[in-house]
């Protein structure tokens, strides 16, 4: 539901999916997710920085990354056009393509729309690396919104507003190694010999290979309790913890306009 994804459907546009160690000057300057990598493609061999973006006739190009500034909700888009060759003199710096977006305006009657897309892990198959004995990793994406347009209580004046929201939580399972309960309490029985660091000049092992509770740093103990969970898989293995902590990606987009028709006479 991003109208700028249509750019690469036309001739001469090349998607820029830079991953790993791939980068360029636009990608290095890009902050956030606003278009430099995937939504600012070279057109007809020109640089990605040569694509001007217009929104309702206004200049809509970020002069830092040369990508678009405002991406209107899909329900607010009336027209989308790319002029990729022989741009008119009115379009300055148009060495690549001119991406022009026009938004909808209201009319004499009220019209609106509403939508919602929902994805949930309850309807998905398990990943190959998921542990069948544990809860399924979270994958929930709720994309919703709507639009409304119509007349205002003023002569020949109309409005149109659109809203789109995303509420997303997703997790990818990965195996980790975390300390189990005995080492957290200072019990290293059966493991490598632990020596007392407070006996300089000699290697004095701890009795029974156990560190007394009074010798455990409270800061380290608090760190372990808050940031290092206990194993949830087979204790003692090299991958005793399955991490499925979800990442959150929420955002909202709002667009609105008011139009007035002037009459002569």
């Amino acid at each position: 539901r991003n109208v700028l994804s249509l750019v690469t459907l036309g001739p001469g546009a090349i998607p820029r999916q830079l991953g790993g160690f791939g980068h360029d000057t636009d990608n290095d300057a890009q902050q956030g997710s606003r278009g430099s990598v995937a939504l600012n493609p070279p057109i007809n061999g020109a640089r990605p920085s040569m694509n001007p973006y217009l929104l309702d006739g206004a200049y809509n190009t970020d002069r830092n990354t040369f990508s678009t500034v405002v991406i209107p909700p899909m329900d607010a888009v009336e027209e989308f056009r790319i002029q990729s060759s022989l741009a008119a003199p009115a379009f300055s710096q148009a060495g690549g393509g001119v991406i022009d977006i026009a938004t909808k305006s209201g009319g004499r009657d009220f019209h609106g729309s509403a939508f919602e897309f929902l994805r949930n892990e309850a309807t998905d198959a398990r990943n190959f690396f998921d542990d069948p004995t544990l809860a399924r990793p979270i994958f929930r994406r709720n994309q919703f919104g709507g639009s409304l347009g119509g007349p205002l209580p003023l002569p020949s004046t109309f409005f149109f507003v659109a809203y789109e929201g995303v509420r997303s939580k997703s997790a990818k399972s990965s195996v980790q190694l975390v300390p189990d309960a005995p080492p957290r309490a200072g019990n290293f029985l059966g493991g490598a010999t632990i020596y007392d660091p407070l006996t300089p000049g000699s290697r004095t092992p701890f009795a029974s290979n156990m560190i007394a509770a009074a010798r455990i740093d409270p800061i380290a103990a608090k760190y372990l309790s808050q940031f290092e969970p206990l194993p949830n898989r087979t204790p003692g293995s090299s991958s005793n913890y399955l991490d499925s902590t979800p990442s959150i990606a929420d955002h909202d987009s709002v667009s609105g306009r008011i139009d007035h028709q002037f009459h002569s006479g």
Side-chain angles (χ1 to χ4, degrees):
R1 292 187 58 83
N2 189 328
V3 65
L4 293 181
S5 300
L6 300 175
V7 173
T8 55
L9 295 181
I14 302 175
R16 297 174 63 238
Q17 301 290 349
L18 303 180
F21 294 99
H23 69 95
D24 61 16
T25 54
D26 288 331
N27 187 37
D28 291 342
Q30 178 67 27
Q31 299 294 325
S33 59
R34 202 180 51 204
S36 174
V37 175
L39 302 177
N40 195 22
I43 297 178
N44 292 338
R47 292 177 179 270
S49 57
M50 295 180 179
N51 299 331
Y53 295 84
L54 302 176
L55 180 62
D56 289 330
Y59 192 68
N60 189 35
T61 308
D62 188 321
R63 296 299 300 173
N64 179 37
T65 62
F66 296 95
S67 60
T68 185
V69 177
V70 177
I71 302 177
M74 185 72 76
D75 286 15
V77 176
E78 176 72 19
E79 297 180 9
F80 177 86
R81 182 179 66 171
I82 303 175
Q83 189 166 334
S84 58
S85 62
L86 300 177
F91 303 110
S92 61
Q93 301 173 341
V98 180
I99 295 91
D100 192 2
I101 299 175
T103 59
K104 296 178 181 179
S105 61
R108 297 187 180 278
D109 299 321
F110 287 100
H111 294 280
S113 64
F115 70 91
E116 181 173 3
F117 302 105
L118 176 64
R119 297 181 65 182
N120 193 288
E121 76 274 6
T123 61
D124 296 340
R126 286 186 178 273
N127 184 283
F128 177 80
F129 297 100
D130 292 342
D131 191 331
T133 63
L134 300 176
R136 188 173 303 180
I138 291 177
F139 181 81
R140 300 168 189 172
R141 182 176 177 86
N142 189 15
Q143 194 169 6
F144 54 92
S147 64
L148 179 64
L152 287 172
L154 297 171
S156 302
T157 306
F158 312 94
F159 77 96
F160 187 89
V161 293
Y163 166 77
E164 182 170 317
V166 174
R167 302 294 181 267
S168 176
K169 289 184 178 180
S170 61
K172 293 184 179 179
S173 299
S174 62
V175 290
Q176 311 288 339
L177 177 62
V178 297
D180 51 16
R184 294 169 187 256
N187 184 356
F188 292 89
L189 188 64
T193 302
I194 304 299
Y195 295 93
D196 190 345
L198 299 183
T199 55
S202 64
R203 290 169 59 84
T204 303
F206 282 102
S208 301
N209 220 27
M210 297 183 61
I211 302 174
R215 297 286 300 275
I216 298 177
D217 192 308
I219 297 178
K222 186 174 182 179
Y223 172 84
L224 287 173
S225 64
Q226 291 190 355
F227 301 106
E228 292 288 341
L230 288 168
N232 57 10
R233 304 183 75 194
T234 304
S237 65
S238 59
S239 54
N240 59 6
Y241 182 74
L242 182 69
D243 184 12
S244 57
T245 304
S247 58
I248 300 176
D250 298 345
H251 68 265
D252 300 277
S253 178
V254 180
S255 173
R257 61 180 288 176
I258 296 178
D259 298 276
H260 179 80
Q261 295 181 355
F262 292 92
H263 303 276
S264 60

